[in-house]
Amino acid sequence: MSDKMIRRHPHIFDATYEAESGDQAKAWEAIKAEERRYKAGTQAPSVLDGVALALPALMRAQKLSKRASRVGFDWDDLKGVFDKVREELAELEAEVEQDAAQARLEDELGDILFACTNLARHLKVDAEVALRGANAKFERRFRHVERLMAERGQALADADMDTLESAWQAAKREE
């Protein structure tokens, strides 16, 4: 364990080591890459090695994008991330307009979700926490819509979209 600490932190344990703070992150990734190469027995390690395939997709996307950003594969600012989200959304819209196959729609939607995960990272928001909150908010509001419709004596399945949207807006106002 002490060998691992010394190997991973030359800026602390090696008096001859000189690096600027920005270089420390790059040095850390180089050390980790060497460890992954040793573990895998390969000559072509990736900074993405070790991100478990078994993770939930949203969590894995967060970890993959964070790893890539550590070696400089990232947008310079938030505007670039917003542009990427818009670009991916436009690509999905184009596929929908062309009546694309389900596999194409899935691919483009996946790109949007991945770009949104990067947006969350840039905003320093945990995407998993944000999505859980959105799920809870949707459920709360939808249950409110159900109650409103029941009070009116109308089944949800029988209501038109305008009626449902009106009930949804009422649920939002009451929050």
PDB file of all heavy atoms in Angstrom, residues 12-48:
ATOM      1  N   ILE A  12       4.626  14.582  -3.760  1.00  0.00           N
ATOM      2  CA  ILE A  12       4.748  14.617  -2.301  1.00  0.00           C
ATOM      3  C   ILE A  12       6.001  13.879  -1.834  1.00  0.00           C
ATOM      4  O   ILE A  12       6.741  14.366  -0.985  1.00  0.00           O
ATOM      5  CB  ILE A  12       3.503  13.986  -1.627  1.00  0.00           C
ATOM      6  CG1 ILE A  12       2.267  14.829  -1.946  1.00  0.00           C
ATOM      7  CG2 ILE A  12       3.699  13.851  -0.112  1.00  0.00           C
ATOM      8  CD1 ILE A  12       0.964  14.201  -1.512  1.00  0.00           C
ATOM      9  N   PHE A  13       6.251  12.712  -2.403  1.00  0.00           N
ATOM     10  CA  PHE A  13       7.296  11.826  -1.893  1.00  0.00           C
ATOM     11  C   PHE A  13       8.638  11.913  -2.610  1.00  0.00           C
ATOM     12  O   PHE A  13       9.621  11.380  -2.136  1.00  0.00           O
ATOM     13  CB  PHE A  13       6.801  10.374  -1.921  1.00  0.00           C
ATOM     14  CG  PHE A  13       5.613  10.145  -1.037  1.00  0.00           C
ATOM     15  CD1 PHE A  13       4.351   9.999  -1.571  1.00  0.00           C
ATOM     16  CD2 PHE A  13       5.757  10.099   0.350  1.00  0.00           C
ATOM     17  CE1 PHE A  13       3.247   9.789  -0.765  1.00  0.00           C
ATOM     18  CE2 PHE A  13       4.665   9.898   1.162  1.00  0.00           C
ATOM     19  CZ  PHE A  13       3.401   9.747   0.620  1.00  0.00           C
ATOM     20  N   ASP A  14       8.677  12.573  -3.770  1.00  0.00           N
ATOM     21  CA  ASP A  14       9.925  12.649  -4.527  1.00  0.00           C
ATOM     22  C   ASP A  14      10.415  14.099  -4.545  1.00  0.00           C
ATOM     23  O   ASP A  14       9.841  14.949  -5.216  1.00  0.00           O
ATOM     24  CB  ASP A  14       9.698  12.142  -5.956  1.00  0.00           C
ATOM     25  CG  ASP A  14      10.963  12.099  -6.793  1.00  0.00           C
ATOM     26  OD1 ASP A  14      12.014  12.591  -6.336  1.00  0.00           O
ATOM     27  OD2 ASP A  14      10.888  11.564  -7.918  1.00  0.00           O
ATOM     28  N   ALA A  15      11.483  14.365  -3.815  1.00  0.00           N
ATOM     29  CA  ALA A  15      12.006  15.731  -3.695  1.00  0.00           C
ATOM     30  C   ALA A  15      12.507  16.269  -5.029  1.00  0.00           C
ATOM     31  O   ALA A  15      12.561  17.486  -5.225  1.00  0.00           O
ATOM     32  CB  ALA A  15      13.118  15.768  -2.660  1.00  0.00           C
ATOM     33  N   THR A  16      12.847  15.396  -5.962  1.00  0.00           N
ATOM     34  CA  THR A  16      13.359  15.844  -7.263  1.00  0.00           C
ATOM     35  C   THR A  16      12.228  16.107  -8.261  1.00  0.00           C
ATOM     36  O   THR A  16      12.468  16.637  -9.333  1.00  0.00           O
ATOM     37  CB  THR A  16      14.324  14.800  -7.863  1.00  0.00           C
ATOM     38  OG1 THR A  16      13.606  13.599  -8.121  1.00  0.00           O
ATOM     39  CG2 THR A  16      15.496  14.543  -6.925  1.00  0.00           C
ATOM     40  N   TYR A  17      11.003  15.732  -7.913  1.00  0.00           N
ATOM     41  CA  TYR A  17       9.869  15.886  -8.824  1.00  0.00           C
ATOM     42  C   TYR A  17       9.406  17.332  -8.825  1.00  0.00           C
ATOM     43  O   TYR A  17       9.130  17.919  -7.791  1.00  0.00           O
ATOM     44  CB  TYR A  17       8.718  14.963  -8.376  1.00  0.00           C
ATOM     45  CG  TYR A  17       7.501  15.031  -9.270  1.00  0.00           C
ATOM     46  CD1 TYR A  17       7.445  14.290 -10.441  1.00  0.00           C
ATOM     47  CD2 TYR A  17       6.417  15.833  -8.941  1.00  0.00           C
ATOM     48  CE1 TYR A  17       6.336  14.342 -11.261  1.00  0.00           C
ATOM     49  CE2 TYR A  17       5.308  15.890  -9.759  1.00  0.00           C
ATOM     50  CZ  TYR A  17       5.272  15.149 -10.910  1.00  0.00           C
ATOM     51  OH  TYR A  17       4.170  15.197 -11.725  1.00  0.00           O
ATOM     52  N   GLU A  18       9.312  17.912 -10.018  1.00  0.00           N
ATOM     53  CA  GLU A  18       8.824  19.281 -10.158  1.00  0.00           C
ATOM     54  C   GLU A  18       7.738  19.296 -11.215  1.00  0.00           C
ATOM     55  O   GLU A  18       7.950  18.843 -12.330  1.00  0.00           O
ATOM     56  CB  GLU A  18       9.953  20.221 -10.575  1.00  0.00           C
ATOM     57  CG  GLU A  18      10.974  20.469  -9.495  1.00  0.00           C
ATOM     58  CD  GLU A  18      12.024  21.458  -9.954  1.00  0.00           C
ATOM     59  OE1 GLU A  18      11.709  22.319 -10.795  1.00  0.00           O
ATOM     60  OE2 GLU A  18      13.159  21.346  -9.460  1.00  0.00           O
ATOM     61  N   ALA A  19       6.603  19.828 -10.824  1.00  0.00           N
ATOM     62  CA  ALA A  19       5.500  19.961 -11.777  1.00  0.00           C
ATOM     63  C   ALA A  19       4.582  21.066 -11.316  1.00  0.00           C
ATOM     64  O   ALA A  19       4.449  21.315 -10.124  1.00  0.00           O
ATOM     65  CB  ALA A  19       4.726  18.656 -11.889  1.00  0.00           C
ATOM     66  N   GLU A  20       3.968  21.708 -12.287  1.00  0.00           N
ATOM     67  CA  GLU A  20       2.970  22.716 -11.948  1.00  0.00           C
ATOM     68  C   GLU A  20       1.673  21.997 -11.627  1.00  0.00           C
ATOM     69  O   GLU A  20       1.471  20.844 -12.017  1.00  0.00           O
ATOM     70  CB  GLU A  20       2.798  23.673 -13.114  1.00  0.00           C
ATOM     71  CG  GLU A  20       4.083  24.445 -13.389  1.00  0.00           C
ATOM     72  CD  GLU A  20       3.857  25.591 -14.340  1.00  0.00           C
ATOM     73  OE1 GLU A  20       2.715  26.065 -14.447  1.00  0.00           O
ATOM     74  OE2 GLU A  20       4.828  26.011 -14.964  1.00  0.00           O
ATOM     75  N   SER A  21       0.769  22.661 -10.923  1.00  0.00           N
ATOM     76  CA  SER A  21      -0.458  22.006 -10.473  1.00  0.00           C
ATOM     77  C   SER A  21      -1.261  21.407 -11.623  1.00  0.00           C
ATOM     78  O   SER A  21      -1.822  20.339 -11.486  1.00  0.00           O
ATOM     79  CB  SER A  21      -1.324  22.975  -9.670  1.00  0.00           C
ATOM     80  OG  SER A  21      -1.729  24.052 -10.486  1.00  0.00           O
ATOM     81  N   GLY A  22      -1.324  22.051 -12.769  1.00  0.00           N
ATOM     82  CA  GLY A  22      -2.038  21.506 -13.922  1.00  0.00           C
ATOM     83  C   GLY A  22      -1.394  20.237 -14.444  1.00  0.00           C
ATOM     84  O   GLY A  22      -2.058  19.355 -14.971  1.00  0.00           O
ATOM     85  N   ASP A  23      -0.073  20.164 -14.302  1.00  0.00           N
ATOM     86  CA  ASP A  23       0.654  18.987 -14.761  1.00  0.00           C
ATOM     87  C   ASP A  23       0.418  17.794 -13.843  1.00  0.00           C
ATOM     88  O   ASP A  23       0.582  16.650 -14.255  1.00  0.00           O
ATOM     89  CB  ASP A  23       2.155  19.271 -14.840  1.00  0.00           C
ATOM     90  CG  ASP A  23       2.484  20.283 -15.931  1.00  0.00           C
ATOM     91  OD1 ASP A  23       1.683  20.414 -16.874  1.00  0.00           O
ATOM     92  OD2 ASP A  23       3.545  20.930 -15.820  1.00  0.00           O
ATOM     93  N   GLN A  24       0.074  18.054 -12.588  1.00  0.00           N
ATOM     94  CA  GLN A  24      -0.145  16.965 -11.641  1.00  0.00           C
ATOM     95  C   GLN A  24      -1.291  16.070 -12.088  1.00  0.00           C
ATOM     96  O   GLN A  24      -1.199  14.851 -11.966  1.00  0.00           O
ATOM     97  CB  GLN A  24      -0.404  17.511 -10.236  1.00  0.00           C
ATOM     98  CG  GLN A  24       0.841  18.059  -9.584  1.00  0.00           C
ATOM     99  CD  GLN A  24       0.583  18.628  -8.200  1.00  0.00           C
ATOM    100  OE1 GLN A  24      -0.537  18.581  -7.715  1.00  0.00           O
ATOM    101  NE2 GLN A  24       1.622  19.153  -7.592  1.00  0.00           N
ATOM    102  N   ALA A  25      -2.357  16.656 -12.618  1.00  0.00           N
ATOM    103  CA  ALA A  25      -3.484  15.859 -13.094  1.00  0.00           C
ATOM    104  C   ALA A  25      -3.059  14.981 -14.262  1.00  0.00           C
ATOM    105  O   ALA A  25      -3.437  13.808 -14.330  1.00  0.00           O
ATOM    106  CB  ALA A  25      -4.647  16.763 -13.502  1.00  0.00           C
ATOM    107  N   LYS A  26      -2.243  15.532 -15.173  1.00  0.00           N
ATOM    108  CA  LYS A  26      -1.764  14.745 -16.312  1.00  0.00           C
ATOM    109  C   LYS A  26      -0.823  13.643 -15.844  1.00  0.00           C
ATOM    110  O   LYS A  26      -0.867  12.521 -16.340  1.00  0.00           O
ATOM    111  CB  LYS A  26      -1.080  15.646 -17.334  1.00  0.00           C
ATOM    112  CG  LYS A  26      -2.059  16.514 -18.096  1.00  0.00           C
ATOM    113  CD  LYS A  26      -1.380  17.383 -19.108  1.00  0.00           C
ATOM    114  CE  LYS A  26      -2.444  18.243 -19.800  1.00  0.00           C
ATOM    115  NZ  LYS A  26      -1.869  19.239 -20.649  1.00  0.00           N
ATOM    116  N   ALA A  27       0.028  13.968 -14.876  1.00  0.00           N
ATOM    117  CA  ALA A  27       0.943  12.963 -14.334  1.00  0.00           C
ATOM    118  C   ALA A  27       0.155  11.846 -13.655  1.00  0.00           C
ATOM    119  O   ALA A  27       0.478  10.665 -13.801  1.00  0.00           O
ATOM    120  CB  ALA A  27       1.924  13.607 -13.348  1.00  0.00           C
ATOM    121  N   TRP A  28      -0.886  12.224 -12.937  1.00  0.00           N
ATOM    122  CA  TRP A  28      -1.744  11.241 -12.260  1.00  0.00           C
ATOM    123  C   TRP A  28      -2.347  10.291 -13.288  1.00  0.00           C
ATOM    124  O   TRP A  28      -2.331   9.068 -13.104  1.00  0.00           O
ATOM    125  CB  TRP A  28      -2.839  11.968 -11.494  1.00  0.00           C
ATOM    126  CG  TRP A  28      -3.895  11.077 -10.927  1.00  0.00           C
ATOM    127  CD1 TRP A  28      -5.107  10.805 -11.477  1.00  0.00           C
ATOM    128  CD2 TRP A  28      -3.829  10.322  -9.715  1.00  0.00           C
ATOM    129  NE1 TRP A  28      -5.805   9.935 -10.683  1.00  0.00           N
ATOM    130  CE2 TRP A  28      -5.037   9.624  -9.589  1.00  0.00           C
ATOM    131  CE3 TRP A  28      -2.862  10.166  -8.733  1.00  0.00           C
ATOM    132  CZ2 TRP A  28      -5.318   8.789  -8.519  1.00  0.00           C
ATOM    133  CZ3 TRP A  28      -3.148   9.338  -7.663  1.00  0.00           C
ATOM    134  CH2 TRP A  28      -4.357   8.664  -7.561  1.00  0.00           C
ATOM    135  N   GLU A  29      -2.860  10.828 -14.390  1.00  0.00           N
ATOM    136  CA  GLU A  29      -3.458   9.979 -15.427  1.00  0.00           C
ATOM    137  C   GLU A  29      -2.412   9.074 -16.057  1.00  0.00           C
ATOM    138  O   GLU A  29      -2.694   7.915 -16.370  1.00  0.00           O
ATOM    139  CB  GLU A  29      -4.156  10.822 -16.490  1.00  0.00           C
ATOM    140  CG  GLU A  29      -5.480  11.377 -16.038  1.00  0.00           C
ATOM    141  CD  GLU A  29      -6.448  10.314 -15.545  1.00  0.00           C
ATOM    142  OE1 GLU A  29      -6.552   9.215 -16.136  1.00  0.00           O
ATOM    143  OE2 GLU A  29      -7.108  10.584 -14.524  1.00  0.00           O
ATOM    144  N   ALA A  30      -1.201   9.563 -16.239  1.00  0.00           N
ATOM    145  CA  ALA A  30      -0.129   8.731 -16.807  1.00  0.00           C
ATOM    146  C   ALA A  30       0.212   7.580 -15.866  1.00  0.00           C
ATOM    147  O   ALA A  30       0.405   6.435 -16.301  1.00  0.00           O
ATOM    148  CB  ALA A  30       1.112   9.575 -17.080  1.00  0.00           C
ATOM    149  N   ILE A  31       0.259   7.873 -14.580  1.00  0.00           N
ATOM    150  CA  ILE A  31       0.540   6.830 -13.575  1.00  0.00           C
ATOM    151  C   ILE A  31      -0.580   5.796 -13.579  1.00  0.00           C
ATOM    152  O   ILE A  31      -0.334   4.590 -13.575  1.00  0.00           O
ATOM    153  CB  ILE A  31       0.712   7.469 -12.171  1.00  0.00           C
ATOM    154  CG1 ILE A  31       2.003   8.299 -12.132  1.00  0.00           C
ATOM    155  CG2 ILE A  31       0.712   6.397 -11.082  1.00  0.00           C
ATOM    156  CD1 ILE A  31       2.090   9.253 -10.943  1.00  0.00           C
ATOM    157  N   LYS A  32      -1.830   6.261 -13.583  1.00  0.00           N
ATOM    158  CA  LYS A  32      -2.977   5.354 -13.588  1.00  0.00           C
ATOM    159  C   LYS A  32      -3.006   4.521 -14.870  1.00  0.00           C
ATOM    160  O   LYS A  32      -3.313   3.335 -14.841  1.00  0.00           O
ATOM    161  CB  LYS A  32      -4.284   6.141 -13.446  1.00  0.00           C
ATOM    162  CG  LYS A  32      -4.469   6.814 -12.107  1.00  0.00           C
ATOM    163  CD  LYS A  32      -4.703   5.829 -11.009  1.00  0.00           C
ATOM    164  CE  LYS A  32      -6.087   5.248 -11.162  1.00  0.00           C
ATOM    165  NZ  LYS A  32      -6.417   4.195 -10.264  1.00  0.00           N
ATOM    166  N   ALA A  33      -2.669   5.118 -15.999  1.00  0.00           N
ATOM    167  CA  ALA A  33      -2.642   4.385 -17.268  1.00  0.00           C
ATOM    168  C   ALA A  33      -1.606   3.276 -17.208  1.00  0.00           C
ATOM    169  O   ALA A  33      -1.849   2.154 -17.681  1.00  0.00           O
ATOM    170  CB  ALA A  33      -2.342   5.339 -18.421  1.00  0.00           C
ATOM    171  N   GLU A  34      -0.449   3.584 -16.641  1.00  0.00           N
ATOM    172  CA  GLU A  34       0.599   2.573 -16.500  1.00  0.00           C
ATOM    173  C   GLU A  34       0.118   1.421 -15.611  1.00  0.00           C
ATOM    174  O   GLU A  34       0.349   0.247 -15.913  1.00  0.00           O
ATOM    175  CB  GLU A  34       1.871   3.211 -15.921  1.00  0.00           C
ATOM    176  CG  GLU A  34       3.037   2.255 -15.802  1.00  0.00           C
ATOM    177  CD  GLU A  34       3.517   1.733 -17.151  1.00  0.00           C
ATOM    178  OE1 GLU A  34       3.447   2.471 -18.146  1.00  0.00           O
ATOM    179  OE2 GLU A  34       3.954   0.570 -17.205  1.00  0.00           O
ATOM    180  N   GLU A  35      -0.582   1.744 -14.541  1.00  0.00           N
ATOM    181  CA  GLU A  35      -1.120   0.706 -13.663  1.00  0.00           C
ATOM    182  C   GLU A  35      -2.154  -0.152 -14.392  1.00  0.00           C
ATOM    183  O   GLU A  35      -2.174  -1.374 -14.251  1.00  0.00           O
ATOM    184  CB  GLU A  35      -1.756   1.339 -12.416  1.00  0.00           C
ATOM    185  CG  GLU A  35      -0.749   1.913 -11.457  1.00  0.00           C
ATOM    186  CD  GLU A  35      -1.388   2.637 -10.278  1.00  0.00           C
ATOM    187  OE1 GLU A  35      -2.645   2.707 -10.203  1.00  0.00           O
ATOM    188  OE2 GLU A  35      -0.633   3.130  -9.426  1.00  0.00           O
ATOM    189  N   ARG A  36      -3.013   0.493 -15.175  1.00  0.00           N
ATOM    190  CA  ARG A  36      -4.024  -0.257 -15.928  1.00  0.00           C
ATOM    191  C   ARG A  36      -3.360  -1.158 -16.967  1.00  0.00           C
ATOM    192  O   ARG A  36      -3.784  -2.290 -17.182  1.00  0.00           O
ATOM    193  CB  ARG A  36      -5.017   0.692 -16.582  1.00  0.00           C
ATOM    194  CG  ARG A  36      -5.984   1.319 -15.591  1.00  0.00           C
ATOM    195  CD  ARG A  36      -7.112   2.075 -16.279  1.00  0.00           C
ATOM    196  NE  ARG A  36      -6.689   3.318 -16.876  1.00  0.00           N
ATOM    197  CZ  ARG A  36      -6.674   4.494 -16.274  1.00  0.00           C
ATOM    198  NH1 ARG A  36      -7.066   4.594 -15.027  1.00  0.00           N
ATOM    199  NH2 ARG A  36      -6.294   5.578 -16.904  1.00  0.00           N
ATOM    200  N   ARG A  37      -2.320  -0.649 -17.620  1.00  0.00           N
ATOM    201  CA  ARG A  37      -1.591  -1.438 -18.618  1.00  0.00           C
ATOM    202  C   ARG A  37      -0.972  -2.662 -17.945  1.00  0.00           C
ATOM    203  O   ARG A  37      -1.048  -3.764 -18.457  1.00  0.00           O
ATOM    204  CB  ARG A  37      -0.513  -0.587 -19.296  1.00  0.00           C
ATOM    205  CG  ARG A  37       0.255  -1.339 -20.372  1.00  0.00           C
ATOM    206  CD  ARG A  37       1.220  -0.492 -21.186  1.00  0.00           C
ATOM    207  NE  ARG A  37       2.009   0.439 -20.431  1.00  0.00           N
ATOM    208  CZ  ARG A  37       1.887   1.774 -20.500  1.00  0.00           C
ATOM    209  NH1 ARG A  37       0.995   2.309 -21.299  1.00  0.00           N
ATOM    210  NH2 ARG A  37       2.642   2.557 -19.780  1.00  0.00           N
ATOM    211  N   TYR A  38      -0.416  -2.455 -16.789  1.00  0.00           N
ATOM    212  CA  TYR A  38       0.199  -3.563 -16.047  1.00  0.00           C
ATOM    213  C   TYR A  38      -0.868  -4.599 -15.669  1.00  0.00           C
ATOM    214  O   TYR A  38      -0.671  -5.794 -15.859  1.00  0.00           O
ATOM    215  CB  TYR A  38       0.895  -3.022 -14.789  1.00  0.00           C
ATOM    216  CG  TYR A  38       1.474  -4.107 -13.925  1.00  0.00           C
ATOM    217  CD1 TYR A  38       2.659  -4.748 -14.291  1.00  0.00           C
ATOM    218  CD2 TYR A  38       0.834  -4.499 -12.764  1.00  0.00           C
ATOM    219  CE1 TYR A  38       3.183  -5.758 -13.509  1.00  0.00           C
ATOM    220  CE2 TYR A  38       1.348  -5.504 -11.974  1.00  0.00           C
ATOM    221  CZ  TYR A  38       2.530  -6.133 -12.343  1.00  0.00           C
ATOM    222  OH  TYR A  38       3.048  -7.130 -11.572  1.00  0.00           O
ATOM    223  N   LYS A  39      -2.004  -4.114 -15.175  1.00  0.00           N
ATOM    224  CA  LYS A  39      -3.098  -5.014 -14.783  1.00  0.00           C
ATOM    225  C   LYS A  39      -3.634  -5.805 -15.969  1.00  0.00           C
ATOM    226  O   LYS A  39      -3.887  -6.992 -15.886  1.00  0.00           O
ATOM    227  CB  LYS A  39      -4.260  -4.217 -14.196  1.00  0.00           C
ATOM    228  CG  LYS A  39      -4.282  -4.115 -12.724  1.00  0.00           C
ATOM    229  CD  LYS A  39      -5.583  -3.425 -12.327  1.00  0.00           C
ATOM    230  CE  LYS A  39      -5.625  -3.120 -10.872  1.00  0.00           C
ATOM    231  NZ  LYS A  39      -6.819  -2.367 -10.508  1.00  0.00           N
ATOM    232  N   ALA A  40      -3.836  -5.109 -17.077  1.00  0.00           N
ATOM    233  CA  ALA A  40      -4.444  -5.736 -18.252  1.00  0.00           C
ATOM    234  C   ALA A  40      -3.448  -6.540 -19.069  1.00  0.00           C
ATOM    235  O   ALA A  40      -3.841  -7.372 -19.878  1.00  0.00           O
ATOM    236  CB  ALA A  40      -5.075  -4.664 -19.139  1.00  0.00           C
ATOM    237  N   GLY A  41      -2.166  -6.287 -18.876  1.00  0.00           N
ATOM    238  CA  GLY A  41      -1.152  -6.979 -19.657  1.00  0.00           C
ATOM    239  C   GLY A  41      -1.167  -6.551 -21.107  1.00  0.00           C
ATOM    240  O   GLY A  41      -0.796  -7.307 -21.994  1.00  0.00           O
ATOM    241  N   THR A  42      -1.606  -5.331 -21.366  1.00  0.00           N
ATOM    242  CA  THR A  42      -1.666  -4.830 -22.739  1.00  0.00           C
ATOM    243  C   THR A  42      -0.673  -3.701 -22.927  1.00  0.00           C
ATOM    244  O   THR A  42      -0.159  -3.146 -21.972  1.00  0.00           O
ATOM    245  CB  THR A  42      -3.071  -4.294 -23.080  1.00  0.00           C
ATOM    246  OG1 THR A  42      -3.301  -3.130 -22.282  1.00  0.00           O
ATOM    247  CG2 THR A  42      -4.140  -5.328 -22.839  1.00  0.00           C
ATOM    248  N   GLN A  43      -0.466  -3.350 -24.163  1.00  0.00           N
ATOM    249  CA  GLN A  43       0.440  -2.243 -24.475  1.00  0.00           C
ATOM    250  C   GLN A  43      -0.327  -0.983 -24.876  1.00  0.00           C
ATOM    251  O   GLN A  43       0.282   0.023 -25.144  1.00  0.00           O
ATOM    252  CB  GLN A  43       1.400  -2.656 -25.600  1.00  0.00           C
ATOM    253  CG  GLN A  43       2.344  -3.760 -25.191  1.00  0.00           C
ATOM    254  CD  GLN A  43       3.169  -3.385 -23.962  1.00  0.00           C
ATOM    255  OE1 GLN A  43       3.767  -2.339 -23.900  1.00  0.00           O
ATOM    256  NE2 GLN A  43       3.179  -4.267 -22.975  1.00  0.00           N
ATOM    257  N   ALA A  44      -1.650  -1.070 -24.970  1.00  0.00           N
ATOM    258  CA  ALA A  44      -2.433   0.087 -25.399  1.00  0.00           C
ATOM    259  C   ALA A  44      -3.529   0.389 -24.380  1.00  0.00           C
ATOM    260  O   ALA A  44      -4.696   0.149 -24.631  1.00  0.00           O
ATOM    261  CB  ALA A  44      -3.038  -0.182 -26.765  1.00  0.00           C
ATOM    262  N   PRO A  45      -3.135   0.910 -23.226  1.00  0.00           N
ATOM    263  CA  PRO A  45      -4.160   1.206 -22.223  1.00  0.00           C
ATOM    264  C   PRO A  45      -4.965   2.437 -22.615  1.00  0.00           C
ATOM    265  O   PRO A  45      -4.532   3.241 -23.448  1.00  0.00           O
ATOM    266  CB  PRO A  45      -3.333   1.486 -20.971  1.00  0.00           C
ATOM    267  CG  PRO A  45      -2.071   2.045 -21.497  1.00  0.00           C
ATOM    268  CD  PRO A  45      -1.812   1.301 -22.786  1.00  0.00           C
ATOM    269  N   SER A  46      -6.098   2.552 -22.017  1.00  0.00           N
ATOM    270  CA  SER A  46      -6.958   3.698 -22.246  1.00  0.00           C
ATOM    271  C   SER A  46      -7.270   4.343 -20.907  1.00  0.00           C
ATOM    272  O   SER A  46      -7.362   3.654 -19.897  1.00  0.00           O
ATOM    273  CB  SER A  46      -8.262   3.238 -22.906  1.00  0.00           C
ATOM    274  OG  SER A  46      -9.217   4.282 -22.894  1.00  0.00           O
ATOM    275  N   VAL A  47      -7.452   5.646 -20.918  1.00  0.00           N
ATOM    276  CA  VAL A  47      -7.862   6.310 -19.680  1.00  0.00           C
ATOM    277  C   VAL A  47      -9.248   5.833 -19.252  1.00  0.00           C
ATOM    278  O   VAL A  47      -9.638   6.005 -18.102  1.00  0.00           O
ATOM    279  CB  VAL A  47      -7.864   7.857 -19.795  1.00  0.00           C
ATOM    280  CG1 VAL A  47      -6.477   8.383 -20.026  1.00  0.00           C
ATOM    281  CG2 VAL A  47      -8.819   8.330 -20.851  1.00  0.00           C
ATOM    282  N   LEU A  48      -9.965   5.199 -20.176  1.00  0.00           N
ATOM    283  CA  LEU A  48     -11.302   4.690 -19.866  1.00  0.00           C
ATOM    284  C   LEU A  48     -11.274   3.295 -19.256  1.00  0.00           C
ATOM    285  O   LEU A  48     -12.307   2.817 -18.770  1.00  0.00           O
ATOM    286  CB  LEU A  48     -12.167   4.685 -21.128  1.00  0.00           C
ATOM    287  CG  LEU A  48     -12.284   6.023 -21.857  1.00  0.00           C
ATOM    288  CD1 LEU A  48     -13.147   5.860 -23.105  1.00  0.00           C
ATOM    289  CD2 LEU A  48     -12.816   7.106 -20.952  1.00  0.00           C
TER     290      LEU A  48
END
